Amino acid sequence: MAIGESPTAKRRRLGLLLRKFRTEAKISAEVVSQHMDRNDAWVSRVERGRTGLRRLDLERLLDLYGVDGSMQAELADLAKAGRERGWWSNYSGVLSRQYSSYIGFEAEASRLLIYESLVVHGLLQTESYARKVLQVGAPEEDPAVIERKVEVRLNRQRRLTAERPLRLWLIFDEAVLRRVLGGDLRVHVGQLDHLVKMAELSNVRLQVMPFREAGHPGMLSSFTMMEFPNDPAMAYIEGLTGDLYEDAPESERYRVVFDNLRASALSEPSSTSLIKEVAADLRRDL
């Protein structure tokens, strides 16, 4: 499957439509679960695009909702696309379901608004820095598994230079510039140089939240706001015990937070200057 064609996003689109039809038909999730001989969690997973849908199950749902034949055919095609496998399925042996789900949404997004407080975001990591992040984060991990995960990260980055590139607006805390993972200065300086280079792309915008901003909304959590060409935006928050996705209208609070962050952060030219300054300071110690 080509970059940008995501079965994960297709499942979400189908789920949004099914929830719309169920709501318009004034049928509760409990009634649906009884009709389908499934539990309420199944209905929620389908409507949130977290699971694929067999054609027979789809037909039973649409009959229950009173959806006509022409729309049934269109949704059947969408359900079929949602059962396909994305390029990341080739790495299923080393990726968690949560991470695979995120990659699926990222692959369909047209723009990402990201605040990152800990490390350089995966889409802008160099190969060496990505490897170091994975080694520091899981020192007991099999080196072969780490290499496969690095491949995934580099594959994700292809969208930034594709014919129709992903647009990225990323704000990260100044600590990200100064945190040298594993004490490897050479890797870190190379990563900072890479950030400067990536900031030159017309589809990439970088800002730094300086230390002088002692308190700001981003202190609570890193997050990603994902915008799609045909579907509502959603927010993604990575957690230690599980990932959280917020659909509209809840996701809009993250857009408000991002707007406040970009207003408080350094301008793009000043951010690039700071990155260069930190890199130059560290280069003297090489």
Side-chain angles (χ1 to χ4, degrees):
M1 178 170 288
I3 294 292
E5 297 177 350
S6 170
T8 310
K10 300 294 190 297
R11 289 196 298 269
R12 178 178 182 241
R13 187 174 309 148
L14 176 63
L16 291 170
L17 289 170
L18 289 174
R19 183 169 59 187
K20 172 178 177 290
F21 293 140
R22 179 178 62 78
T23 302
E24 290 176 347
K26 295 182 171 57
I27 300 174
S28 69
E30 291 76 14
V31 169
V32 175
S33 62
Q34 292 171 9
H35 179 79
M36 300 295 294
D37 195 25
R38 302 292 184 94
N39 57 36
D40 294 347
W42 179 83
V43 179
S44 175
R45 289 198 303 272
V46 168
E47 292 186 349
R48 293 175 64 84
R50 301 300 186 265
T51 186
L53 195 59
R54 297 180 304 172
R55 179 160 189 148
L56 181 59
D57 288 336
L58 176 62
E59 290 173 351
R60 291 181 64 192
L61 285 175
L62 296 181
D63 286 342
L64 178 63
Y65 301 158
V67 178
D68 64 33
S70 60
M71 179 58 74
Q72 284 196 12
E74 182 178 333
L75 294 178
D77 289 341
L78 196 56
K80 181 179 179 181
R83 293 192 298 270
E84 294 178 356
R85 293 161 62 89
W87 62 262
W88 52 93
S89 66
N90 294 325
Y91 298 87
S92 59
V94 299
L95 300 181
S96 68
R97 290 183 62 184
Q98 291 178 327
Y99 187 26
S100 294
S101 181
Y102 171 80
I103 294 174
F105 288 124
E106 183 185 85
E108 187 81 5
S110 56
R111 184 170 77 148
L112 301 182
L113 308 177
I114 300 171
Y115 173 70
E116 181 58 69
S117 62
L118 298 175
V119 297
V120 173
H121 190 269
L123 286 173
L124 296 182
Q125 291 177 3
T126 64
E127 180 177 346
S128 297
Y129 185 91
R131 186 176 294 109
K132 185 65 66 174
V133 169
L134 293 167
Q135 290 171 340
V136 171
E140 73 290 347
E141 189 81 272
D142 185 331
V145 171
I146 287 180
E147 290 308 309
R148 293 282 283 169
K149 291 182 176 180
V150 170
E151 286 180 25
V152 171
R153 210 152 288 194
L154 297 179
N155 275 331
R156 287 169 54 202
Q157 295 175 7
R158 289 165 54 196
R159 289 209 59 213
L160 292 176
T161 53
E163 184 176 348
R164 298 177 62 183
L166 171 68
R167 291 178 293 146
L168 177 66
W169 192 334
L170 194 147
I171 302 171
F172 52 86
D173 194 89
E174 184 176 342
V176 173
L177 300 183
R178 301 186 182 278
R179 180 176 293 111
V180 181
L181 297 176
D184 196 325
L185 284 177
R186 192 171 302 279
V187 168
H188 193 72
V189 169
Q191 176 62 72
L192 296 181
D193 291 342
H194 182 67
L195 287 178
V196 172
K197 179 180 178 181
M198 295 303 291
E200 296 174 354
L201 297 177
S202 61
N203 56 304
V204 175
R205 306 185 69 173
L206 294 183
Q207 289 182 266
V208 176
M209 181 64 68
F211 284 148
R212 69 167 183 254
E213 292 292 335
H216 57 80
M219 293 179 68
L220 299 179
S221 176
S222 300
F223 64 89
T224 298
M225 187 80 179
M226 293 184 269
E227 298 178 347
F228 302 92
N230 301 305
D231 300 318
M234 67 187 301
Y236 167 77
I237 306 92
E238 183 178 7
L240 186 62
T241 58
D243 298 346
L244 174 65
Y245 292 92
E246 294 275 19
D247 289 309
E250 291 82 2
S251 62
E252 288 306 309
R253 61 180 173 170
Y254 290 94
R255 190 185 302 278
V256 173
V257 170
F258 189 85
D259 287 343
N260 290 333
L261 287 170
R262 65 183 178 84
S264 301
L266 298 175
S267 67
E268 292 173 66
S270 296
S271 296
T272 300
S273 295
L274 179 59
I275 296 171
K276 291 178 179 179
E277 177 184 320
V278 174
D281 289 342
L282 295 175
R283 192 172 275 113
R284 297 190 188 99
D285 297 326
L286 287 177

